[in-house]
């Protein structure tokens, strides 16, 4: 069975989960969502997936009510503190992408500590997209490249796909092969727009806090069943493998 090297997940549906369970606020959904992430990262490490990149907080999410944003930041800090043993036990390296300087100082500090402590792990690279927006990321890259041209460090002609990819937050990663969005929404919400241009997309009705090993395996089976033609014809692909 062909496995994706890189899975990207839009972890959606925490608020609806909390509401359906009868909790007064959406926060409980975010807390239980952390458990779903722990399970999923552990499973990916066990299954031999190399990269897992999860959308944890979008740049647009700053517009949510202050109480929810504050609660999310608190959950981020406490989870980073709590999850270190799991990351070490499963050989998971933590990374983060996004406008990290906009996060509270305590979250930045904790992120740096966990990144540093897990930097020698190599089973799975788990990347948290935090204060992340893809259009903003691409603008940032375009400006950085323009500045290099203005400074005489590169020519306009040297800006090719590889150079642009290298100017994104995801420079060191291969592009995602599979994108999973939970909660039944069929949209990308400003996530990794450049990087997912040839990814397989899977939209699942399950709400993120309920995402289990079985859902992951269902997604992997879906991925394995797809023919990734990358612009070619089915016949061309079959000739090659024959
Ligand atoms: C995803 O769940 C988590 C974040 C965006 C931080 P939501 O909070 O968007 O949950 P729904 O979509 O309202 O159910
Ligand atoms: C996308 O979910 C961001 C994360 C999962 C962190 P949202 O719930 O914020 O997306 P929209 O606004 O419904 O598209
Ligand atoms: Mg949502």
């Amino acid at each position: 069975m062909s496995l994706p090297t890189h899975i990207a997940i839009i972890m959606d549906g925490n608020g609806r989960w909390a509401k359906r369970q009868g909790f007064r606020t959406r926060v409980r959904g975010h807390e239980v969502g952390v458990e779903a992430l722990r399970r999923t990262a552990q499973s990916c490490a066990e299954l031999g997936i190399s990269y897992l990149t999860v959308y944890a907080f979008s740049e647009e999410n700053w517009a949510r009510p202050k109480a929810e944003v504050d609660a999310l930041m608190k959950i981020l800090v406490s989870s980073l503190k709590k999850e270190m043993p799991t990351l070490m036990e499963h050989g998971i390296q933590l990374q983060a992408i996004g406008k990290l300087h906009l996060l509270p100082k305590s979250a930045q500090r904790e992120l740096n500590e966990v990144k540093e402590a897990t930097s020698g792990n190599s089973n799975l690279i788990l990347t948290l997209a935090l204060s992340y927006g893809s259009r903003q990321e691409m603008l940032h890259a375009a400006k950085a490249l323009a500045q290099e041209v203005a400074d005489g460090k590169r020519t306009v002609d040297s800006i090719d796909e590889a150079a642009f990819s290298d100017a994104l937050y995801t420079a060191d990663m291969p592009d995602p092969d599979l994108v999973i969005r939970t909660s039944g929404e069929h949209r990308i919400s400003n996530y990794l727009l450049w990087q997912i241009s040839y990814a397989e997309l899977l939209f699942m009705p399950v709400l993120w806090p309920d995402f289990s090993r079985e859902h992951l395996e269902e997604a992997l089976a879906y991925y394995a069943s797809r023919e990734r033609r990358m612009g070619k014809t089915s016949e061309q692909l079959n000739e090659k493998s024959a």
Side-chain angles (χ1 to χ4, degrees), residues 18-39:
K19 205 166 168 192
R20 269 181 218 173
Q21 299 286 320
F23 291 105
R24 257 185 319 110
T25 72
R26 302 161 49 84
V27 175
R28 187 72 194 130
H30 298 312
E31 286 169 353
V32 180
V34 175
E35 291 168 26
L37 176 56
R38 183 195 309 125
R39 278 197 299 276

Side-chain angles (χ1 to χ4, degrees), residues 166-180:
D166 282 347
L168 297 172
Y169 300 137
T170 49
D172 298 329
M173 291 183 234
D175 287 341
D177 305 291
L178 171 66
V179 177
I180 302 169

Side-chain angles (χ1 to χ4, degrees), residues 119-131:
S119 61
N121 293 348
S122 57
N123 281 352
L124 172 74
I125 313 255
L126 169 63
T127 303
L128 305 179
L130 290 164
S131 188

Side-chain angles (χ1 to χ4, degrees), residues 12-13 16 26 64 181 183 187:
D12 197 18
R16 275 163 283 174
R26 302 161 49 84
R64 290 193 178 190
R181 182 174 189 145
S183 91
R187 55 176 178 265

Side-chain angles (χ1 to χ4, degrees), residues 8 11 16 18 26 35 43 90 102-103 109 113 124 132 139 155 163 168-170 175 177 186 188 196 209 229 235 238:
M11 309 185 289
R16 275 163 283 174
R26 302 161 49 84
E35 291 168 26
S43 298
H90 295 271
L102 298 182
L103 297 173
R109 219 173 16 243
E113 267 180 38
L124 172 74
Y132 175 85
L139 269 177
T155 62
L168 297 172
Y169 300 137
T170 49
D175 287 341
D177 305 291
H186 289 64
I188 294 298
I196 64 172
R229 292 191 284 274
E235 289 73 16
N238 291 329

Side-chain angles (χ1 to χ4, degrees), residues 192-224:
L192 302 172
L193 299 174
W194 168 276
Q195 297 89 336
I196 64 172
S197 57
Y198 256 110
E200 299 295 333
L201 307 180
L202 180 59
F203 300 95
M204 303 179 85
V206 60
L207 301 175
W208 177 251
D210 288 330
F211 193 83
S212 66
R213 172 82 174 223
E214 286 67 40
H215 294 105
L216 179 66
E217 284 174 3
E218 184 186 328
L220 293 175
Y222 167 82
Y223 177 81

Side-chain angles (χ1 to χ4, degrees), residues 20-66:
R20 269 181 218 173
Q21 299 286 320
F23 291 105
R24 257 185 319 110
T25 72
R26 302 161 49 84
V27 175
R28 187 72 194 130
H30 298 312
E31 286 169 353
V32 180
V34 175
E35 291 168 26
L37 176 56
R38 183 195 309 125
R39 278 197 299 276
T40 306
Q42 226 167 283
S43 298
C44 284
E46 279 166 20
L47 290 164
I49 307 292
S50 302
Y51 297 86
L52 174 65
T53 302
V54 296
Y55 211 0
F57 191 82
S58 72
E59 198 155 333
E60 290 72 23
N61 286 149
W62 288 114
R64 290 193 178 190
K66 184 173 183 303

